[in-house]
Amino acid sequence: MSFDKVIMLDWSGGNDRGPRPVKDAIWACIGMAGTVEEPVYLRNRQLAEEWLTETLTTLQAARHSVLVGFDLCFAYPTGFATKLVGSEDTLALWDWFEARVHDSPKSNNRFDLAGEINAIFPGTGPFWFNGLARDIAHLPRKGRDRTTDHGLGEKRAADMAIPGSFSPWQLAGAGAVGGQVIMGLPVLARLRRQFGKTLSVWPFQSPDTQIVLAETYFSILPDLVVSEPQEIRDAAQVSLYARAFSALSPADMTTLMDIDATPEGWVLGAGQGDVLRDALASTPPPLKNDCFAMPQGAHWTPVAEAHHHLREKLSCVTGTETLPLTKAANRVLAQDVHAVRSHPPARNAAVDGYGFAGPAAAGINKLKLVEGRSAAGAPYDGTVPQGHAIRILTGANLPSGVDTVVLQEDVSTSATEVSFHGPLKRGANARDAGEDMQAGQTILQTGRKITPADLGMLAAAGVGTVTVRRTLKVGILSTGDELRDSGDMATTGQIFDANRPMLSALIASWGYEVIDLGRAPDDRDTLRQILDGAAQDCDVILSSGGASAGDEDHMSALLKDTGSFALWRIAMKPGRPLALGLWQNTPVFGLPGNPVAAMVCALVFAAPALAVMAGGAWTQPTSYQLPAAFAKSKKAGRREYMRARLEDGHVAIFPSEGSGRVSGLSWATGLVELSDPAQKVALGDLVTYIPFNNF
C-alpha cells in the first residue's frame, strides 16, 4: 500500500489566531517520497477546511492517491457513541456532531455542547474543563470534580499505546485534545460527504480509495521534532510527520495499516515509531532549490563567502544502513556509538609478574606463592590471601585479594616463595576496569568517518555493528565535442579527456562510489538525457566543462532552466566559473573545463561539500607554514592556489601558472594558498602549504 502524497494537519479547537504565524494554531504540510513542501499556516478552521478541500480536489484531479493525517481523535472510548447515536457507529457520531457544532472564526459552542452531552450521562458526565469565564451547567472546571458513574473509560486503547497522550474528555489546558476533537469531527463529516466514495476513513473502512483519512499523534517521535528547520514547533511537527509517512515503503505502510478495527479506532503509527524512524533515516530531506543562491549583489564571490554559503545550505543526502565492523571502514557514522562494555572489562595486569595486595614496603619483601596462576582468558577464580602472591600474565584479570603487580624481572622465586625489593605503590602495573572506556560511554559521534583505529576501539568495546550512511554516489561527467578518451584516435583539433579519470580517482580516494557518466557532446538534448539518467543513479553529479555562460556552455543553460541555477564567479585563480544547481533534486557541481582549474575547484569546494552530503562535517584542510623557495607579487581581490611541492624543507611552485598545464598537477604534491589581499612573497617567507592528501 502506498500514497503519492501525504498531508499532515495539526488541528486546533481555538478561535482565529490572526495573520501572523503562531503556535497552537492549525498547520498543514504536504509530503511526497520523503520530501516536504513548506508548512502552511491556517489561522482558523474555516480557512483550513477550505484549503484542504481545494488541495484534495486538485490532487484528485491529478489522479494522486492521498493520505490525510489529523492529530485529533477520530473516536471516543467504547459506549460513548451508543449513548448519543444508538450504536458504536463512529462515522454516524461524526454526523451527530456536525449537526450540533456551531463554529465561526471568533467563537464556537464546544464548551456548551460538552455540558449538554454530560447531562445525558449519569453523574457529571465524562467531559471537563470549562475554559470560559461564565459557568456552564454540567461541565466541571476540574477533572477531580467529576464522578465516575458515567461508565466510560478515561482513554482508548490507542491513547494508552502512546506515552503522554491526553484523554479526549479534557477540553482545554496544556496538551489537551478534547476541544479540537469536537471542532474537528464536523470537518471530517463534511469531507466524507464532499468526496463520497473516493474517500475512506482508516481503520473503520478499507483504505483502498483515492483519499484516506487517518488519525495520528504528533507525539510518536517527540525527540526528532527539534531537528526540523521550522522555528514554530507546530510547523516542525507537520513537516516531520509528512516526511516520515511519505517516506514509508509500501510494505511498511501496509504494516502500519494492518490493524483490526474496533469502534475506538486506532492511531496510525502508534507503537511503531521505529518504522517511522527508519523511514526518516533512509530518506533524508533533499536540498532546497535555493541552496546555491548567493546573496544579492555577490558578483565576484570570495572563497570564504562561497564556503560559508555552502556550509550553511548543504545537508546530508544519503540514507543509512547497519553494517558489521568488517565492512564499516571509511563509512560515515549516522548514529553515535556507545561502548557495549567497559574496556578493560575488569582490573588486569599490565605486565608479566606476580600479583599481591599492595603496597610493598621499602627493603626486601617476601610473599608466599599460591598454587595456580591467572592468565588472559583463564583467570584465577580463587582469593589470594594477605601476605601471598600469585603468578599473573599480561592482560589477565586480577584475582580477588590482588591490586598490585611486580614485574617478573624484578623478583626472585622458589617453588613456594617470591621476593623483591620495595617500595612499590599500591596499584602498580595494574589497569583499572573501564580506565579506557566505560560501558554506555559515547565513544564515536555521528558524522565521523570510521578509521582503522576506530574499528579497533569499537571491537574492544564490544560493538559488533554500527549504523552508517550509505556510500555517497558521485557521478563524474565530462562535456565537450573536442574530447576523446585516452587511447582513441584524435585529430589536432581534439584533446584527450584528462578530467574524468583524474576526478574519478580523486573522488574514489575520498571513499565515495564513483559512477562514470562518460562524455557528453555539445548537444543540449543529449546532455539532458544523460542528466535524467544520472539523477536516478547518483547522489551528486560533478561535471567539468560547460560551466560558464557561452554559446556552448550547455550545462549552465540546462541548470538555469530548472530555476535552481547559480553561476558563481569565484574570486580565485585558477577556476573562476563554478556552475551549481539541482537536476531533479540531485545536486550538480559544474567545474571548469581546464584540468588544473577543475582539480583545484574540486579540492577547494567539492571536497568539503561532498563530506557534508555524505553525512560528515564540513572540514577545512590542515595547512602548514613553510619557507618559500620562490618570489611572487600578487594583486588584491582574489585568492590564488599554485601547484607546489617540498624541496629541501622549502616550498617550490610549478614554473607555469597556466590552468591547462596538467603536468603541473603530477609534479606537485599540494597547493600554496595566497590569501585575498595584495602581498609580496620573498625567498624564505613563510607561506601556506596544503598537501593534496589533506583535502
Side-chain angles (χ1 to χ4, degrees):
M1 182 181 301
S2 63
F3 298 92
D4 300 323
K5 301 275 188 176
V6 169
I7 301 175
M8 288 286 131
L9 286 111
D10 186 2
W11 205 249
S12 173
N15 296 330
D16 187 284
R17 301 289 286 161
R20 185 177 181 178
V22 294
K23 64 179 182 178
D24 298 327
I26 300 176
W27 286 87
C29 188
I30 300 175
M32 180 180 70
T35 67
V36 293
E37 300 177 7
E38 284 295 316
V40 178
Y41 168 66
L42 300 161
R43 58 188 290 178
N44 57 52
R45 285 177 296 282
Q46 290 70 33
L47 287 176
E49 184 175 351
E50 180 181 338
W51 175 88
L52 181 57
T53 301
E54 291 180 354
T55 300
L56 288 176
T57 300
T58 300
L59 294 176
Q60 187 180 55
R63 301 182 183 275
H64 289 304
S65 57
V66 188
L67 171 68
V68 186
F70 288 82
D71 74 324
L72 59 88
C73 303
F74 278 16
Y76 287 93
T78 301
F80 180 76
T82 297
K83 194 72 173 179
L84 269 60
V85 300
S87 69
E88 290 299 290
D89 186 343
T90 298
L91 303 183
L93 183 65
W94 291 8
D95 295 333
W96 187 94
F97 272 99
E98 189 210 357
R100 291 163 178 79
V101 168
H102 307 302
D103 192 13
S104 74
K106 295 298 183 182
S107 65
N108 63 74
N109 68 333
R110 68 184 188 276
F111 294 114
D112 292 290
L113 181 58
E116 295 172 12
I117 295 172
N118 275 354
I120 301 175
F121 288 84
T124 55
F127 287 110
W128 66 277
F129 201 117
N130 174 11
L132 301 180
R134 61 180 173 84
D135 289 335
I136 296 176
H138 305 290
L139 183 62
R141 294 189 180 275
K142 298 183 182 296
R144 64 172 178 265
D145 295 335
R146 296 178 298 166
T147 60
T148 59
D149 49 4
H150 51 68
L152 302 175
E154 190 66 16
K155 291 185 178 182
R156 304 170 299 158
D159 302 321
M160 291 184 284
I162 302 176
S165 65
F166 278 68
S167 166
W169 307 129
Q170 182 180 341
L171 297 178
V177 298
Q180 67 196 53
V181 175
I182 292 178
M183 304 314 298
L185 296 185
V187 176
L188 298 178
R190 286 190 288 272
L191 288 174
R192 289 190 66 231
R193 187 164 60 250
Q194 170 79 21
F195 293 98
K197 294 181 179 180
T198 65
L199 181 148
S200 60
V201 181
W202 178 88
F204 307 108
Q205 298 172 315
S206 177
D208 53 7
T209 54
Q210 189 175 5
I211 301 170
V212 177
L213 306 184
E215 171 189 350
T216 189
Y217 280 4
F218 293 157
S219 55
I220 298 175
L221 305 171
D223 56 309
L224 298 185
V225 175
V226 294
S227 65
E228 294 299 297
Q230 287 77 22
E231 294 183 1
I232 297 177
R233 183 176 179 85
D234 294 345
Q237 288 182 155
V238 293
S239 175
L240 173 71
Y241 290 92
R243 280 207 298 119
F245 281 106
S246 69
L248 289 170
S249 68
D252 285 339
M253 181 64 78
T254 300
T255 298
L256 260 60
M257 288 192 154
D258 187 16
I259 300 294
D260 292 331
T262 70
E264 289 189 338
W266 193 255
V267 176
L268 187 62
Q272 296 173 303
D274 288 344
V275 177
L276 294 174
R277 288 179 187 274
D278 291 344
L280 286 168
S282 62
T283 312
L287 301 176
K288 295 184 178 180
N289 271 351
D290 66 351
C291 61
F292 296 128
M294 290 295 289
Q296 291 295 318
H299 181 61
W300 285 100
T301 305
V303 172
E305 184 179 343
H307 275 168
H308 176 77
H309 185 83
L310 288 173
R311 184 173 185 174
E312 291 294 313
K313 295 292 185 178
L314 292 178
S315 59
C316 176
V317 298
T318 54
T320 65
E321 59 182 334
T322 300
L323 296 177
L325 296 190
T326 54
K327 297 182 178 180
N330 295 318
R331 300 295 287 272
V332 177
L333 280 173
Q335 294 179 0
D336 291 352
V337 183
H338 308 281
V340 175
R341 73 171 188 176
S342 297
H343 182 259
R347 296 198 69 195
N348 64 73
V351 297
D352 290 342
Y354 295 85
F356 60 96
I364 297 176
N365 293 268
K366 293 185 177 182
L367 301 172
K368 294 181 179 180
L369 279 173
V370 299
E371 292 185 5
R373 68 173 191 171
S374 186
Y380 182 77
D381 61 2
T383 298
V384 177
Q386 186 72 27
H388 289 66
I390 187 172
R391 175 65 168 153
I392 194 167
L393 304 181
T394 302
N397 289 356
L398 299 186
S400 175
V402 172
D403 56 22
T404 305
V405 180
V406 58
L407 275 73
Q408 65 181 20
E409 295 89 345
D410 295 339
V411 304
S412 296
T413 62
S414 67
T416 59
E417 188 178 67
V418 59
S419 60
F420 57 91
H421 285 277
L424 197 65
K425 294 181 180 179
R426 185 189 305 276
N429 301 313
R431 306 184 185 104
D432 288 331
E435 69 176 24
D436 186 17
M437 294 174 282
Q438 296 282 343
Q441 175 188 344
T442 301
I443 53 178
L444 287 179
Q445 294 185 325
T446 301
R448 180 180 177 89
K449 180 178 282 190
I450 300 174
T451 68
D454 291 338
L455 294 176
M457 178 179 69
L458 294 171
V463 177
T465 61
V466 287
T467 301
V468 297
R469 290 289 172 185
R470 295 185 184 276
T471 302
L472 188 75
K473 297 179 180 179
V474 183
I476 307 296
L477 174 68
S478 291
T479 66
D481 283 339
E482 73 279 12
L483 298 179
R484 290 295 180 270
D485 286 340
S486 179
D488 290 349
M489 296 296 295
T491 68
T492 56
Q494 297 170 332
I495 60 174
F496 294 116
D497 182 7
N499 287 345
R500 211 163 87 250
M502 175 181 69
L503 294 175
S504 295
L506 183 66
I507 298 305
S509 72
W510 294 341
Y512 308 130
E513 180 180 343
V514 173
I515 298 178
D516 188 350
L517 300 177
R519 292 183 288 107
D522 290 326
D523 178 80
R524 202 159 298 182
D525 290 338
T526 301
L527 179 57
R528 182 184 291 109
Q529 292 176 8
I530 293 174
L531 291 176
D532 286 344
Q536 304 303 314
D537 300 329
C538 305
D539 297 314
V540 60
I541 300 168
L542 254 62
S543 73
S544 59
S548 193
D551 292 342
E552 297 299 330
D553 290 315
H554 299 291
M555 179 62 73
S556 296
L558 286 176
L559 291 177
K560 187 175 182 180
D561 289 342
T562 68
S564 66
F565 173 70
L567 179 63
W568 292 2
R569 294 165 61 86
I570 307 294
M572 66 180 283
K573 178 184 178 182
R576 287 177 293 184
L578 190 65
L580 304 107
L582 296 176
W583 189 268
Q584 298 178 12
N585 286 326
T586 300
V588 179
F589 283 73
L591 305 176
N594 285 326
V596 177
M599 177 78 158
V600 171
C601 282
L603 293 170
V604 174
F605 296 108
L610 294 181
V612 171
M613 287 188 277
W618 182 282
T619 56
Q620 294 283 52
T622 301
S623 61
Y624 307 97
Q625 296 295 304
L626 298 171
F630 62 92
K632 179 178 173 62
S633 179
K634 175 193 168 297
K635 294 181 180 180
R638 64 182 181 183
R639 188 174 301 188
E640 293 192 14
Y641 295 91
M642 297 179 292
R643 287 150 285 176
R645 71 182 185 189
L646 298 182
E647 294 180 352
D648 298 326
H650 289 63
V651 182
I653 59 172
F654 190 63
S656 170
E657 297 183 20
S659 59
R661 296 285 295 273
V662 69
S663 62
L665 291 172
S666 177
W667 173 89
T669 57
L671 298 174
V672 162
E673 180 186 66
L674 299 181
S675 56
D676 300 9
Q679 57 187 291
K680 289 185 178 181
V681 178
L683 289 172
D685 287 351
L686 294 180
V687 293
T688 300
Y689 171 71
I690 311 172
F692 287 140
N693 288 339
N694 286 13
F695 284 94

